[in-house]
Amino acid sequence: ENNYHPRWILSQSLGEQHGGHRSCVWSVVFEPNNNGSRFVSVDAEGRVILWKSTSSVVLPQYSKSTELSCNAGTELDPNYSVDWSSDGRFIAIGRGDDSIVIIAVENSIKEGKDGDSLKIVCVKHNAHARDVHCVKWNPKIPTQLASVGGDGHLKIWQMSDNILCRTKTRLCGV
């Protein structure tokens, strides 16, 4: 019988005082294949925050790298879900306005500049008839995305030239 019980130790808490979120944080994901040095979080105000490691110790500390708002105008629709593509190029956001937003992640350190940047490259309006609750990139096909929404549908999307096209739909629970 396995009697192993993991012990969790809080290594850092990132809130508004660290330039972080001011409202409910709905989702977070670490960048794949990057040794945990960056992660992204989304919140109820439509903000997307990219965090990066500021140290390379066993328990790294993180600080805000950059942020982006997915809201247009004065509307504050929430971001419910976030996922990072397996090739590290794109972040997908599932939103409360029934849309999916695709964001390009650019690391300008490689280009001789300082820092990271986030740029919206695609917005799929009315991706679901109700809120988009979860988005997940296919780990084997970096341009394929699955989404589920409050409308009871699971949808598979294919991204081509920064355009998101639905390939399959399945009504859940039927």
Side-chain angles (χ1 to χ4, degrees):
E1 184 176 314
N2 185 352
N3 290 326
Y4 177 72
H5 300 286
R7 186 173 149 220
W8 290 95
I9 300 169
L10 177 66
S11 64
Q12 188 175 7
S13 179
L14 299 165
E16 187 175 2
Q17 68 275 23
H18 298 97
H21 298 282
R22 300 179 297 260
S23 63
C24 179
V25 180
W26 285 106
S27 187
V28 62
V29 65
F30 279 93
E31 179 180 15
N33 306 319
N34 201 14
N35 301 323
S37 64
R38 296 191 303 180
F39 66 92
V40 65
S41 55
V42 296
D43 70 19
E45 293 181 350
R47 293 171 69 203
V48 179
I49 298 181
L50 179 65
W51 303 84
K52 67 178 178 179
S53 173
T54 57
S55 62
S56 60
V57 295
V58 175
L59 292 175
Q61 295 294 295
Y62 295 91
S63 66
K64 183 171 124 180
S65 175
T66 189
E67 79 173 78
L68 174 74
S69 175
C70 290
N71 288 317
T74 58
E75 295 180 28
L76 289 179
D77 289 308
N79 293 329
Y80 286 126
S81 178
V82 62
D83 199 33
W84 210 315
S85 64
S86 62
D87 63 4
R89 295 177 50 215
F90 297 106
I91 292 171
I93 310 289
R95 295 190 28 83
D97 64 357
D98 314 335
S99 71
I100 296 172
V101 176
I102 306 297
I103 298 170
V105 182
E106 298 172 1
N107 185 332
S108 50
I109 294 172
K110 295 175 186 173
E111 300 160 10
K113 300 175 188 171
D114 184 26
D116 301 307
S117 66
L118 301 174
K119 178 183 174 187
I120 296 175
V121 295
C122 174
V123 178
K124 185 65 176 176
H125 296 285
N126 302 312
H128 284 266
R130 296 178 64 190
D131 297 351
V132 180
H133 289 210
C134 188
V135 291
K136 290 290 179 188
W137 290 102
N138 182 326
K140 300 291 183 189
I141 306 170
T143 57
Q144 192 174 68
L145 182 75
S147 66
V148 294
D151 57 5
H153 285 93
L154 168 97
K155 296 184 180 184
I156 306 297
W157 305 87
Q158 185 66 42
M159 194 168 81
S160 174
D161 298 324
N162 296 339
I163 298 172
L164 208 56
C165 302
R166 186 174 66 211
T167 59
K168 294 181 183 177
T169 299
R170 178 166 183 250
L171 183 61
C172 299
V174 175

